[in-house]
């Protein structure tokens, strides 16, 4: 009879005395193989357990060629040997038990009530999701599904695990996406009394009541079906707490009630949109005035450095200078702060008589940046704005 690991025999066991059978290395991390383990290896949509072996933290648990590897933190000389104590991160395990049992229940109810078959399951760090084989999953049906699942949680239906042989399995009505390729021997079944019988190797609650609650978060169409996201158990309570604190802060900032939060935010966004439009118009007017003043100054090469301006400001000003002074070259720069980083724009009027592309490449090299352009404008990033004077000398020679 094959060895059944402790995490399957008793999923609530949090400490275990066992022996190290072998040691090795995987992807640069050491691992140990134990005679028995309470740590579940990743599989079936459920992440691996975490914990410690002989006081060394476990960062992953994987089954490779039928052997469970406990991947550890640390160097090879620090690996535990002989008799060791295995400790389970129970909070993580129970969270996974809640989410996985909730998935079985959700999947079973969705299929029994609506004919929606689950094609995949993902247990994420914050939320979970299943993929259903139907696109016909509208809001009213999602609400009905959530209520039906809640009723089964309140019913406190027992959840049990057992192993059966191939002949007994063939005689049962089992929900399954198929056994692993090459599987032989007994088959592990998880049953929610009166609701579901399913093949699964994961860890589960003892009753649907331990799920506590399940909240469906939304749907997304994909691959001809629907992805349904949800949280259960402690995750649901923690998510509610996050939303409650966020709403409390928003109420304080906006000076309104929960019921009016959305309306107030929409009004503020509309105000912001108008303000941004006004600022943009003022920036354009300032660029035009700045360009007019620059075009009226003397010199073959017109130069200005405007800290705190963005690239569109430089571009508009350069274009306006080119219109007002078509025989000049204009060199504009801006700095992102007090350092050397920023941007530059090089432009020329229609009769300036300069190879702007060649000049732009030389200026970009001097300023420790790169750039490009076409026609009468060349622009780019700079990392050595302190060399602006040298760039001006180059432009005056070329001009």
């Amino acid at each position: 009879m094959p060895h059944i690991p402790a995490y399957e025999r008793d999923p609530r066991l949090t400490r275990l005395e066992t022996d190290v059978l072998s040691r090795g290395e995987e992807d640069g991390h050491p691992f140990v193989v134990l005679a028995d383990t309470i740590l579940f290896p990743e599989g079936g949509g459920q992440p691996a357990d975490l914990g410690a072996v002989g006081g060394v933290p476990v960062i992953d648990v994987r089954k490779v060629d039928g052997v469970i590897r406990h991947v550890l933190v640390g160097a090879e000389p620090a690996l535990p040997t002989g008799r060791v104590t295995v400790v389970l991160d129970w909070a993580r395990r129970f969270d996974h038990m809640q989410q996985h049992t909730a998935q079985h229940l959700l999947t079973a109810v969705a299929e029994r009530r609506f004919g929606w078959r689950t094609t995949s399951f993902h247990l994420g760090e914050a939320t979970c999701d299943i993929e259903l084989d139907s696109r016909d999953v509208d809001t009213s049906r999602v609400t009905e599904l959530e209520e039906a699942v809640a009723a089964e949680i309140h019913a406190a239906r027992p959840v049990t695990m057992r192993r059966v042989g191939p002949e007994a399995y063939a005689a049962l009505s089992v929900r399954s996406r198929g056994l692993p390729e090459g599987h032989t021997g007994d088959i592990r079944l998880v049953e929610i009394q009166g609701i579901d019988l399913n093949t699964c190797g994961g860890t589960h609650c003892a009753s649907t009541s331990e799920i506590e609650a399940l909240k469906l978060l939304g749907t997304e169409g994909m691959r001809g079906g629907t992805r349904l996201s949800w949280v259960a158990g402690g995750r649901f309570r923690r998510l509610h707490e996050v939303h409650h604190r966020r709403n409390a802060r928003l109420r304080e900032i906006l000076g309104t009630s929960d019921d009016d939060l959305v309306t107030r935010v929409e009004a503020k966004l509309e105000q912001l949109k108008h303000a941004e439009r006004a600022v943009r118009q003022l920036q354009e007017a300032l660029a035009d005035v700045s360009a007019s003043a620059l075009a009226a100054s003397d010199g073959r090469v017109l130069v200005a450095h405007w800290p705190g301006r963005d690239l569109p400001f430089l571009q508009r000003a350069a274009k306006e200078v080119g219109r007002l002074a078509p025989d000049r070259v204009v060199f504009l720069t801006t700095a992102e702060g007090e350092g050397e980083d920023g941007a530059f724009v090089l432009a020329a009027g229609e009769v300036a008589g300069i190879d702007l592309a060649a000049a732009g490449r030389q200026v970009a090299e001097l300023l420790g940046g790169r750039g490009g352009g076409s026609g009468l404008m060349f622009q780019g990033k700079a990392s050595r704005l302190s060399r602006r004077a040298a760039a001006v000398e180059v432009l005056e020679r070329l001009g």
Side-chain angles (χ1 to χ4, degrees), residues 102-151:
Q103 179 267 314
H104 281 228
L105 181 59
L106 176 61
T107 289
V109 173
E111 186 167 346
R112 286 161 63 103
R113 182 167 290 238
F114 300 109
W116 299 336
R117 188 175 63 86
T118 294
T119 57
S120 70
F121 161 53
H122 172 243
L123 199 167
E125 290 291 333
T127 64
C128 303
D129 62 77
I130 57 174
E131 290 185 23
L132 303 171
D133 65 354
S134 173
R135 277 200 174 275
D136 185 24
V137 184
D138 59 36
T139 303
S140 62
R141 286 186 154 195
V142 168
T143 301
E144 184 181 344
L145 173 60
E146 184 175 277
E147 292 296 329
V149 170

Side-chain angles (χ1 to χ4, degrees), residues 365-394:
E365 184 177 356
L366 274 171
L367 299 182
R370 63 183 187 277
S374 60
L376 301 177
M377 188 173 296
F378 190 102
Q379 63 221 359
K381 295 289 188 180
S383 63
R384 294 198 298 267
L385 285 175
S386 60
R387 304 194 66 186
R388 295 194 308 275
V392 172
E393 290 178 4
V394 167

Side-chain angles (χ1 to χ4, degrees), residues 30-50:
F31 70 83
V32 293
V33 176
L34 306 176
D36 199 3
T37 185
I38 53 175
L39 303 183
F40 175 80
E42 179 180 3
Q46 180 173 326
D49 285 332
L50 299 181

Side-chain angles (χ1 to χ4, degrees), residues 39-241:
L39 303 183
F40 175 80
E42 179 180 3
Q46 180 173 326
D49 285 332
L50 299 181
V53 174
V56 181
V58 174
I59 59 173
D60 198 6
V61 187
R62 306 172 189 168
K63 183 174 283 189
V64 180
D65 297 330
V67 176
I68 298 175
R69 295 179 176 181
H70 302 74
V71 184
L72 307 175
V73 169
E76 183 72 25
L79 289 184
T81 59
R83 194 73 174 170
V84 293
T85 300
V86 185
V87 179
L88 170 70
D89 180 343
W90 170 249
R92 176 182 171 90
R93 159 68 70 76
F94 188 64
D95 169 60
H96 291 172
M97 289 166 65
Q98 285 186 313
Q99 308 312 312
H100 205 155
T101 308
Q103 179 267 314
H104 281 228
L105 181 59
L106 176 61
T107 289
V109 173
E111 186 167 346
R112 286 161 63 103
R113 182 167 290 238
F114 300 109
W116 299 336
R117 188 175 63 86
T118 294
T119 57
S120 70
F121 161 53
H122 172 243
L123 199 167
E125 290 291 333
T127 64
C128 303
D129 62 77
I130 57 174
E131 290 185 23
L132 303 171
D133 65 354
S134 173
R135 277 200 174 275
D136 185 24
V137 184
D138 59 36
T139 303
S140 62
R141 286 186 154 195
V142 168
T143 301
E144 184 181 344
L145 173 60
E146 184 175 277
E147 292 296 329
V149 170
E152 299 302 344
I153 292 174
H154 298 157
R157 293 182 178 274
V159 181
T160 56
M161 282 67 71
R162 69 180 187 272
R163 286 180 172 269
V164 298
E167 292 185 4
Y169 173 76
L172 294 170
S173 178
V174 180
R175 179 179 61 82
S176 176
R177 295 200 300 271
L179 298 175
E181 185 177 351
H183 177 84
T184 59
D186 289 349
I187 300 153
R188 186 171 187 260
L189 302 178
V190 177
E191 182 172 13
I192 302 176
Q193 189 179 78
I195 294 292
D196 189 45
L197 182 63
N198 180 35
T199 56
C200 186
T203 57
H204 303 81
C205 299
S207 164
T208 58
S209 65
E210 290 187 338
I211 297 171
E212 298 182 47
L214 179 142
K215 178 61 183 174
L216 300 179
L217 301 178
T219 60
E220 175 189 4
M222 61 179 307
R223 290 192 286 268
T226 301
R227 174 179 288 167
L228 179 61
S229 301
W230 48 275
V231 291
R235 293 192 183 195
F236 174 56
R237 289 183 281 104
R238 290 189 292 273
L239 182 63
H240 177 76
E241 174 68 12

Side-chain angles (χ1 to χ4, degrees), residues 210-357:
E210 290 187 338
I211 297 171
E212 298 182 47
L214 179 142
K215 178 61 183 174
L216 300 179
L217 301 178
T219 60
E220 175 189 4
M222 61 179 307
R223 290 192 286 268
T226 301
R227 174 179 288 167
L228 179 61
S229 301
W230 48 275
V231 291
R235 293 192 183 195
F236 174 56
R237 289 183 281 104
R238 290 189 292 273
L239 182 63
H240 177 76
E241 174 68 12
V242 168
H243 288 321
H244 176 75
R245 290 183 179 276
R246 181 186 299 120
N247 280 10
R249 181 62 179 142
L250 288 172
R251 289 195 304 270
E252 180 183 347
I253 292 171
L254 297 171
T256 190
S257 65
D258 275 349
D259 292 340
D260 292 332
L261 276 176
V262 173
T263 302
R264 185 63 63 89
V265 168
E266 287 174 341
K268 290 292 185 183
L269 288 174
E270 189 63 26
Q271 292 173 9
L272 179 61
K273 187 186 302 182
H274 288 304
E276 288 175 341
R277 186 181 300 118
V279 168
R280 184 168 62 252
Q281 291 170 348
L282 289 171
Q283 290 275 19
E284 291 172 352
L286 178 60
D288 291 344
V289 170
S290 301
S292 296
L294 187 60
S297 61
D298 297 329
R300 165 68 174 159
V301 179
L302 304 179
V303 180
H305 179 64
W306 293 317
R309 301 300 179 189
D310 58 14
L311 190 58
F313 183 93
L314 299 188
Q315 291 168 334
R316 185 179 180 93
K319 185 176 181 181
E320 181 66 6
V321 171
R323 185 184 70 82
L324 296 172
D327 60 339
R328 314 278 194 90
V329 175
V330 59
F331 175 50
L332 306 178
T333 56
T334 184
E336 297 174 358
E338 296 182 359
E340 292 272 329
D341 295 332
F344 72 92
V345 169
L346 181 64
E350 291 184 355
V351 293
I354 185 173
D355 184 344
L356 195 65

